[in-house]
Amino acid sequence: MATNVYVVPTETVTSPHGQQVQQGKYFAVLQSGVSGQLTQFLYGPELTAMFIARDVDPAAHALMAAFPDCITVPDLAQNVGAQRQAVENALEALNLPAGWVTTGMSYGSIVRFVAIFFLFMQAFRGRGGSRLFTGGVTLQTQWGDLPAGVRTTLAETAQQLGLNTSGVTANTRIRAILKGLADQWPLVSIVAGEATL
Amino acid sequence: MPLYLSEFVPGPATARSPRGAPTAAGSMEGPYNQVRLGRSGYTLLWTDEPVRHPKARLLADHVDEKLAVTADHHLSRLMRRMVRHRPDVRGAIVSGISHLIRTNKEARRKEIWLGPGGVAKNLLWSQPARVFHSTKDIQDNFNRTAANLAGSTSSDSQFTWSEPQSTAFTTNGTTCGFSALGGTTFNVGLASLAMDTADHYTQIEVATFTPPTTGGLSPGVGVRITNGTGSSDSGYGFETGRNGFSNPVRRLYDWATDGTLASDTTSTTTGTLLIQASGSTITAKLNGTTIFSITDTTYPGTGSQRKAIISCYCFAATGSATLALDNFRAADLVAGKAPPLFHRSQRFFRKRRGA
C-alpha cells in the first residue's frame, strides 16, 4: 500500500456528464493504473492539480514520471535534503510560495503545505474568485496592486476559513499572504482518499 | 513542548499479549506524558523529543503554536481550565479532539471520556443533547400514485420535488426512476426543503440498475446544492455505476463543475449511496462503508448551499436503460447546541516511561 503524489497542469476535458471542466492532465493514464483510490486537488482556479493515488502499478507510475510536465513527488517519508533548491524552484514555478522549505522537511510535510495552499484557493474559487496569477500578477505582487474585487474576495475567503488577515498591508506580497494564511491552518488531518496529510 | 494527537498501534509482543498490547504511536521513542482519550483509540502525547511516527499528528510545537480555535465553545472553556499553564496550545487540543465527542448510550448527553471508569473518575466533559435527532430530516419512500417526480410531494409530506435538469424521473407506485431508449440524459431531482446546517447527508437506495448494452448509467446523490442546475450552483455529488464507455466507475465530484475529486473503478450497481458533508470533510459511503473521504473547501454549505438532490446520468448508445431508486433521505448531522450542564476539569494523568 503505497501513496504516490503527482503535480500536473490542468487541461480542459469533457466530464462524465458532458461538461467542459478543468482536470489534471493524465488523469485517465493514472486512473487506469491505480488499484486504490485516486484523489484530485485543484489549485482553485489556477491551472495546477495534484493527484494523490493509492497503489499505482509500476507501468503507470513510469508513464507519469516520463511526462515532462508532471512532477512526481518522491517517497513522502523521505527528507528533501540536497533537493531543497529544486523543490523551491518547482513550487515557485507553480505560483506556490516556497521560501519556507528546509532540508530537514519531509516531502510529506511539503505536500501537506501545498494541499493547504490548494484548499485556500478552492475556497477562493468557491466564492467566485477567478485566476489570481494572471495579467502580470505573481507571488511578488503586492496586496495593494491587486484589483479591489480580488482583494475583497480573498479577504472574504480568509474570513470564511477563520483565518486572520490583520497583518496584511498594501505592501505585503502575495507570497507572504499565502504563507501567512497557511501557517494559521489548523493542524488537523487533510484527508485525500486513503491517504492522510 | 510538542503536543501530539496519537493513534494506538500494536506494541511489542509479550508473553501476556502475543499480538502486542496497544501502545500510543510514537510513545516508544522516549520519555513521554499522555492522556488517553477514552476508547477512541487516540491519546494526547507530549514529550521533549519530537515524535516522528506517521500515526502521531503534531498539534502544536514550541516554534509556532498559533492555531485557529474553531471548535466548540464549551470545549474551549474546558481546555482553558485543563491547560491553564499552556493556553497557547488550547486551540490545537480543541481542534484535535473535537471529533471525539460521543453521544452516550441513552443518547441524552454528549461526552468525552479519558478512559473507562465512573463519572467521578474519567468523564472529562459532558453536556446534555437538546435534541436527539437531526434538525432537518426529510424522507421519501416514493409509495404513491405513479406520476412525474417534479411537483410531487414526499411521503413524509415535508417537501416537494422539482427536476432542474431533464424531466424523466417518475414514481411508479413504489420507487422513483426512469427508462431510456437511446440518447443522453442527466436527470436531477431536487428536494425543496433546505437543511438547517452546512453539515448534512443525502442517501438513496439503488433498487434496480439495468444499464444499456453500450453506454453508461450512473445514479447518484448530492449535498450542499443551491439549485441543482449546475449553473450558479454549489455542492458535491457521489455517483456509481458505469460511465459512458461502459466501464465501472465510482466518483465523488464537484457538483457545480462536474470535476472529479476522487474516483475508483469498482463496479457498484446496487445498494444505498450516501454522501455526507461535515466541515471540509466530504465522505461517500456505500451500504454504510466509506468509499471516499476527502478534504475540500470550495463549498462551505453557507447560505443557500443546503439542498439535497438525487441524480442519474444516462448515455444509452445501444439498448435501453432502466433505473429505480427508493428510500430517499436527507438530514442534518448534528443537533443544535445546548447550554452546558456541568464541566469537570481533570488533572492530566502523567505517565513518564522509564522515569
Side-chain angles (χ1 to χ4, degrees), chain A:
Chain A
M1 298 286 281
T3 298
N4 289 80
V5 178
Y6 308 91
V7 181
V8 294
T10 60
E11 62 180 351
T12 302
V13 299
T14 302
S15 75
H17 297 169
Q19 306 295 313
Q20 296 297 298
V21 300
Q22 285 296 307
Q23 177 174 283
K25 283 178 80 174
Y26 317 123
F27 183 92
V29 172
L30 199 51
Q31 178 81 85
S32 64
V34 170
S35 53
Q37 287 176 30
L38 173 58
T39 306
Q40 174 176 234
F41 280 86
L42 293 177
Y43 189 18
E46 304 303 322
L47 305 181
T48 302
M50 179 164 66
F51 295 134
I52 297 176
R54 194 74 166 186
D55 295 335
V56 183
D57 70 44
H61 179 72
L63 269 176
M64 293 296 289
F67 292 123
D69 53 356
C70 173
I71 298 171
T72 304
V73 179
D75 180 355
L76 299 185
Q78 183 181 320
N79 278 3
V80 172
Q83 297 301 311
R84 186 188 65 81
Q85 191 59 54
V87 171
E88 280 194 9
N89 293 344
L91 292 173
E92 292 276 335
L94 298 168
N95 289 319
L96 292 161
W100 46 272
V101 175
T102 64
T103 56
M105 296 181 80
S106 68
Y107 282 102
S109 63
I110 292 171
V111 167
R112 178 184 160 80
F113 245 111
V114 170
I116 291 171
F117 290 136
F118 279 35
L119 290 172
F120 179 80
M121 292 302 283
Q122 281 178 8
F124 174 67
R125 181 178 71 80
R127 297 193 70 87
S130 53
R131 284 194 67 192
L132 179 62
F133 298 105
T134 187
V137 175
T138 69
L139 289 169
Q140 288 296 95
T141 301
Q142 297 179 348
W143 175 255
D145 292 333
L146 292 173
V150 174
R151 290 201 305 267
T152 300
T153 307
L154 282 169
E156 288 173 349
T157 302
Q159 186 178 19
Q160 171 193 314
L161 296 169
L163 305 174
N164 187 344
T165 58
S166 60
V168 176
T169 68
N171 296 330
T172 311
R173 299 188 189 281
I174 290 179
R175 67 170 64 253
I177 294 170
L178 288 177
K179 179 61 168 56
L181 294 174
D183 283 341
Q184 299 176 54
W185 204 269
L187 285 172
V188 293
S189 299
I190 296 173
V191 183
E194 293 158 297
T196 301
L197 305 176

Side-chain angles (χ1 to χ4, degrees), chain A residues 15-23 27 31 34-41 112 118-123 125-127 160-163 183-194 196-197, chain B residues 57-61 64 66-68 70 95-96 165 186 218 239 243-244 249 251 253-255 257-265 281 290-300 302 305 313:
Chain A
S15 75
H17 297 169
Q19 306 295 313
Q20 296 297 298
V21 300
Q22 285 296 307
Q23 177 174 283
F27 183 92
Q31 178 81 85
V34 170
S35 53
Q37 287 176 30
L38 173 58
T39 306
Q40 174 176 234
F41 280 86
R112 178 184 160 80
F118 279 35
L119 290 172
F120 179 80
M121 292 302 283
Q122 281 178 8
R125 181 178 71 80
R127 297 193 70 87
Q160 171 193 314
L161 296 169
L163 305 174
D183 283 341
Q184 299 176 54
W185 204 269
L187 285 172
V188 293
S189 299
I190 296 173
V191 183
E194 293 158 297
T196 301
L197 305 176
Chain B
R57 293 259 154 235
L58 180 67
L59 292 181
D61 61 24
D64 184 358
K66 291 185 296 183
L67 292 164
T70 56
S95 296
Q165 297 188 55
F186 185 49
S218 304
E239 66 181 9
N243 65 16
V249 67
R251 70 181 189 122
Y253 64 101
D254 180 320
W255 171 263
T257 68
D258 203 25
T260 299
L261 300 172
S263 69
D264 68 15
T265 54
T281 302
T290 297
I291 305 300
F292 304 117
S293 187
I294 62 159
T295 302
D296 192 282
T297 55
T298 309
Y299 308 109
T302 51
Q305 300 178 352
Y313 174 76

